[in-house]
Amino acid sequence: DMGNDEESGSSSRSNINSRIVTAVTPLIPPPLRFALKATGLAEEDYVPMRDLFTNPSVSFAYERGWRQGFAAAGFPGPDKEAEMVMEYFDPVAEGKGASTVVDMSCATGLFTRRLAKSGKYGRVIGCDYSDSMLQEARRRIKADSELRERTAGQTRLDLVRLDVGNIPMRSDAVDALHAGAAMHCWPDLDSALSEIYRVLKPGGRYFATTFLAQYFRGLQASENGQTGPDTQAFQYFASTDELKDMLVKAGFEEDKVSVEVLGTACVE
């Protein structure tokens, strides 16, 4: 039947187009994403964070423009951020041959590589839930001559796939832990922060960057109100006090928790 064949072909093409749009939607800036939704080409549901960052397209794009876009929220850039992280870690980890530093939700290893190349730590472990992110991290490490040609006595560098809510490490094992632009993507923050506190040694340090709700309100405005807490799978932090309370609940001492706001991003 010619008519049925044509309908079947049209349906097949429509399904293929839909899959293509779904795959590239995470890479589309918010205003253009809204335009696609208005035409019916893009689905209404926002891509959940965990699924978003397991998308190979996002792993490919992460250091090719995606992460650079965080500057609009106040992030000072990878080099400056890494400098801030290492300065904060110095009292507990610098110059200690046996020190272990974890880069949690390391993505493509943007900070993992910087931490390892600093030569300050005995071991650096990059951890992420996403296989595709870790594959890109391995590729970039192998392409970096400083890391590829390491000799005995230099920082040991490992990549591990794990869930931050259930870290497969013994308690009191880590000197310092970094989580860059990650907390808003964790589905169970209470479990994640409790696990981070558990694996840190007494006196260990945790440095994290994330977004405040103000940033997401800006995204919501750019999409004419089409997105928001009810349609995006982000964690929303209304204030620095909320962040501080969550850390204290996880076990961190209140008088040792500091939150600094940079633009609409914040550093803990």
Side-chain angles (χ1 to χ4, degrees), residues 91-110:
V92 297
E94 183 183 18
K96 297 181 180 180
S99 64
T100 297
V101 171
V102 168
D103 186 21
M104 188 61 68
S105 297
C106 68
T108 57
L110 183 66

Side-chain angles (χ1 to χ4, degrees), residues 198-267:
R198 179 185 67 79
V199 301
L200 281 172
K201 294 178 180 178
R205 294 199 164 194
Y206 173 48
F207 186 107
T209 54
T210 189
F211 296 94
L212 294 178
Q214 180 182 346
Y215 173 76
F216 297 115
R217 285 196 292 270
L219 285 183
Q220 186 176 14
S222 73
E223 295 194 358
N224 291 351
Q226 295 298 305
T227 63
D230 57 336
T231 60
Q232 294 194 51
F234 287 88
Q235 300 286 349
Y236 284 78
F237 307 119
S239 68
T240 56
D241 286 340
E242 180 181 350
L243 281 165
K244 189 169 185 176
D245 289 345
M246 296 182 73
L247 288 161
V248 171
K249 180 182 177 182
F252 292 91
E253 296 178 42
E254 185 173 3
D255 61 348
K256 294 182 179 178
V257 175
S258 175
V259 182
E260 178 184 350
V261 177
L262 302 174
T264 50
C266 73
V267 178

Side-chain angles (χ1 to χ4, degrees), residues 32-42 44 224 226:
L32 294 182
R33 195 159 60 226
F34 170 72
L36 280 177
K37 290 178 183 178
T39 62
L41 291 175
E44 286 297 319
N224 291 351
Q226 295 298 305

